[in-house]
């Protein structure tokens, strides 16, 4: 399994000859991404915020690429053809199984009105060798999800977990490797010292990937 990180929460997962793009957003988007994003098999979107759903670019992509997301995302992006999924659904991509899982987007007054998220999901991608769980923007919640690789936001600000909750969450999930994401919005900057302190305190193996950097998991 090869994981490539793009800005904010965007990930390209390559495994078993398939390419899965998660949350292609508008933050720090570069024109050179277009050809890469236009050459995937499916796209998974967790929720409607533009840093996870770059509508302008998605409209231009190959129409054969299936976009999966929630009813709320479909209603907010009527120009896109979206295959609607919901929590507990299973997406089959040949011999890759993708589980649609629970997520709770945090709330604060800056989200009042149309920006508030009412339907949010995460995804667990299982290629029969590794399970990669990308949580979406979520606060901490009780669950029994298990994964080898955890991609999780760490910036807090009431919208997502901070590094403290994320490190504990990683232990609960049983992740062998944790990859922090959602760190490109200047309004909600990451505290790298705190990330390092928390992950080391709770003995969580982690890797901070730069944008456009890849890692391969055996």
């Amino acid at each position: 399994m090869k994981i490539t990180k793009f800005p904010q929460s965007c990930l390209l997962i390559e495994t078993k000859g398939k390419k899965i793009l998660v949350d292609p957003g508008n933050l720090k988007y570069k024109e050179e991404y277009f050809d890469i994003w236009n050459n995937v098999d499916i796209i998974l979107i967790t929720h409607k915020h533009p840093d996870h759903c770059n509508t302008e670019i998605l409209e231009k992509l190959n129409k054969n690429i299936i976009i999966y997301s929630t009813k709320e995302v479909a209603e907010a992006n009527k120009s896109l053809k979206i295959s609607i999924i919901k929590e507990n659904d299973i997406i089959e991509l040949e011999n890759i199984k993708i589980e649609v899982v629970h997520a709770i987007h945090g709330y604060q007054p800056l989200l009042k009105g149309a920006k508030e998220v009412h339907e949010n999901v995460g995804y667990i991608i299982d290629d029969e060798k590794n399970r990669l769980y990308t949580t979406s923007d979520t606060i901490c919640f009780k669950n029994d999800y298990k994964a080898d690789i955890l991609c999780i936001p760490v910036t807090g600000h009431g919208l997502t977990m901070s590094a403290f909750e994320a490190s504990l969450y990683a232990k609960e999930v049983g992740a062998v490797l944790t990859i922090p994401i959602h760190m490109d919005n200047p309004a909600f900057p990451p505290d790298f010292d705190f990330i390092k302190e928390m992950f080391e305190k709770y003995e969580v193996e982690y890797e901070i990937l730069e944008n456009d950097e890849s890692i391969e998991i055996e």
Side-chain angles (χ1 to χ4, degrees):
M1 180 181 282
K2 180 180 178 181
I3 305 161
T4 302
K5 183 188 179 301
F6 294 104
Q8 196 67 334
S9 300
C10 184
L11 301 165
L12 175 62
I13 314 302
E14 299 176 74
T15 184
K16 292 191 169 181
K18 298 297 181 182
K19 296 180 179 180
I20 303 166
L21 186 66
V22 184
D23 279 352
N26 62 0
L27 277 180
K28 297 187 178 180
Y29 174 78
K30 296 188 288 190
E31 288 184 9
E32 62 203 60
Y33 294 158
F34 184 86
D35 287 343
I36 300 170
W37 294 4
N38 199 38
N39 191 34
V40 301
D41 295 283
I42 64 172
I43 294 173
L44 309 175
I45 298 171
T46 60
H47 64 285
K48 67 182 182 182
H49 286 158
D51 59 331
H52 297 256
C53 181
N54 188 337
T55 306
E56 180 182 356
I57 298 303
L58 292 175
E59 288 174 343
K60 299 174 182 177
L61 294 182
N62 186 331
K63 303 307 178 186
N64 292 324
I65 299 171
I66 302 174
I67 303 174
Y68 291 97
S69 195
T70 64
K71 183 178 179 182
E72 183 172 57
V73 171
E75 290 176 347
N77 295 277
K78 296 187 183 298
S79 62
L80 300 178
K81 183 179 179 182
I82 291 177
S83 295
I84 296 175
I85 47 82
K86 60 185 184 303
E87 184 180 322
N88 298 321
D89 281 353
I90 301 292
I91 301 167
E92 300 280 356
L93 182 61
E94 294 188 1
N95 53 356
I96 301 168
K97 183 174 74 171
I98 302 169
E99 303 168 25
V100 184
V101 297
H102 189 59
I104 306 172
H105 198 290
Y107 174 79
Q108 40 122 302
L110 292 177
L111 294 186
K112 189 176 294 183
K115 292 182 180 180
E116 186 174 353
V117 174
H118 300 281
E119 191 177 13
N120 188 24
V121 295
Y123 297 100
I124 298 177
I125 300 168
D126 189 335
D127 68 359
E128 300 180 317
K129 187 174 182 181
N130 291 297
R131 285 171 62 84
L132 181 145
Y133 173 20
T134 184
T135 67
S136 183
D137 293 1
T138 187
I139 57 175
C140 206
F141 64 93
K142 185 179 180 180
N143 65 77
D144 59 0
Y145 302 144
K146 296 298 177 186
D148 309 295
I149 307 154
L150 178 67
C151 303
I152 190 168
V154 293
T155 46
H157 295 92
L159 303 177
T160 75
M161 293 182 234
S162 72
F164 166 66
E165 299 102 293
S167 61
L168 295 176
Y169 199 90
K171 299 293 283 190
E172 288 286 292
V173 167
V176 175
L177 175 66
T178 297
I179 299 174
I181 56 175
H182 199 261
M183 299 189 291
D184 284 300
N185 190 337
F188 307 110
D191 183 337
F192 288 104
D193 290 338
F194 187 61
I195 293 169
K196 182 176 187 290
E197 178 187 352
M198 289 298 100
F199 282 174
E200 291 184 356
K201 177 179 180 179
Y202 293 103
E203 300 181 329
V204 174
E205 291 293 326
Y206 71 101
E207 183 82 26
I208 296 178
L209 298 180
E210 299 294 332
N211 290 331
D212 311 328
E213 185 179 0
S214 300
I215 187 171
E216 296 208 31
I217 309 297
E218 297 297 327

